[in-house]
Amino acid sequence: MPALQREFADDQIAWVAQHPLFQAMKDGIDAGEILPCLRKGELHFYERGARLLSFSKMKAYTHALYAGKKGDRYVALPDKANFEPIRDTARKHRDTKLDSELAAVHKLFPAFAATRVAHRLGELALIDVEIRFGKGEKDPTLLASMIDLAFLLPNRQLLFVEVKCIGNPSISSKTTAKVETTQVPRYEKHIKRDGVLKAINRSLSAQSMLVARDIGQANAIFPKVPVLILNPTDRQNPVSANNLWLKRRLADASSWAPTSTDACIIDGMSDPINAITEFVQNCT
């Protein structure tokens, strides 16, 4: 199985761009509130922790909950379906999960989404979320994994970032945390697999077609996968006294270098947008 699969015919992308539901999302995409992401044979649109709509084989779909239906997980929508009730229901459903990594990640869209009108070629850009890597085809011990964010850097490198909210057990430890010993090494194997660059560039081409503007292409992959730490519910004193691993990593975050063997931590608890921007400036 290829590491990443991002196939979607150009004629289908053109069809989506003319679809009434896409036109209804256009203001949200322009503002950076909604991010379109390519998948295998599908085009997904994400907002505020929800996958609002997906397009596949010349049909549009949404979660049954968002369409006010029960039974099937996803339901097909007619071409002229009313978008706003779907969007409102999705927001109400997802806004109850404020401490989830998914909802926290989506808060970064307006600042970084590559498809927003404010984005300019050559700027730091968020291009994908919930990136699923298949099981290793050459290494059967390499398990399937999902990485939270993919950025296109100003130097045209791809940067994959894992996100953890305070309280996630994988970053809690007195000595060594699971995210450093198990997850990050696995992610870094995945991003080095054959075909990753080509697949992401296919995503970038699709996004460029959708917004009728050149977003650019990647030419390399940053070899490390940093971990962005978020505090979405603004907890007071969020790092417990027993979590010595995270305390040490946060203290060293500003001095981390690409040659380090330690996991890279981006301290985004108070200002994730500035933290990501500074990391990119300092480490690439």
Side-chain angles (χ1 to χ4, degrees), residues 191-207:
I191 66 173
K192 295 171 185 175
R193 291 169 63 185
D194 293 341
V196 173
L197 190 65
K198 182 178 180 180
I200 294 295
N201 276 333
R202 176 60 184 142
S203 291
L204 285 163
S205 294
Q207 289 170 323

Side-chain angles (χ1 to χ4, degrees), residues 48-263:
R48 289 174 69 163
R51 185 169 73 182
L52 282 178
L53 297 170
S54 61
F55 293 81
S56 176
K57 297 179 180 178
M58 303 297 188
K59 289 184 178 180
Y61 297 86
T62 193
H63 199 291
L65 287 174
Y66 307 158
K69 297 184 179 181
K70 298 180 180 179
D72 293 339
R73 187 176 180 189
Y74 287 92
V75 295
L77 299 172
D79 284 353
K80 295 184 179 180
N82 190 339
F83 172 66
E84 288 305 326
I86 293 172
R87 190 181 197 184
D88 290 343
T89 305
R91 283 179 170 177
K92 291 175 183 175
H93 178 70
R94 296 304 310 187
D95 283 352
T96 62
K97 304 179 180 181
L98 297 178
D99 61 345
S100 74
E101 270 97 9
L102 186 60
V105 161
H106 288 203
K107 290 181 180 179
L108 302 174
F109 288 4
F112 295 117
T115 48
R116 73 196 197 287
V117 169
H119 173 68
R120 295 292 178 265
L121 189 65
E123 293 179 340
L124 175 63
L126 176 61
I127 58 175
D128 209 339
V129 294
E130 301 179 59
I131 306 106
R132 294 183 182 273
F133 286 84
K135 184 177 180 180
E137 68 277 13
K138 296 180 181 179
D139 180 2
T141 66
L142 184 57
L143 303 178
S145 298
M146 185 177 75
I147 301 177
D148 291 307
L149 300 169
F151 286 92
L152 181 62
L153 305 184
N155 66 1
R156 317 316 292 162
Q157 282 186 312
L158 290 174
L159 174 70
F160 292 92
V161 178
E162 177 65 4
V163 177
K164 299 294 182 188
C165 290
I166 286 295
N168 189 310
S170 67
I171 58 172
S172 298
S173 175
K174 291 182 179 180
T175 54
T176 56
K178 180 180 178 181
V179 70
E180 180 172 49
T181 59
T182 303
Q183 292 180 309
V184 166
R186 183 167 72 243
Y187 300 150
E188 290 176 353
K189 288 181 180 179
H190 275 301
I191 66 173
K192 295 171 185 175
R193 291 169 63 185
D194 293 341
V196 173
L197 190 65
K198 182 178 180 180
I200 294 295
N201 276 333
R202 176 60 184 142
S203 291
L204 285 163
S205 294
Q207 289 170 323
S208 293
M209 286 184 64
L210 282 173
V211 298
R213 177 166 42 84
D214 183 19
I215 293 172
Q217 294 275 280
N219 58 23
I221 299 175
F222 190 72
K224 301 291 185 179
V225 176
V227 181
L228 174 65
I229 307 295
L230 299 178
N231 182 24
T233 55
D234 296 323
R235 298 184 193 180
Q236 295 295 316
N237 303 315
V239 183
S240 69
N242 289 329
N243 195 349
L244 300 179
W245 176 85
L246 185 55
K247 283 181 176 289
R248 290 195 299 267
R249 290 291 178 267
L250 289 171
D252 296 338
S254 61
S255 60
W256 184 88
T259 54
S260 174
T261 57
D262 294 332

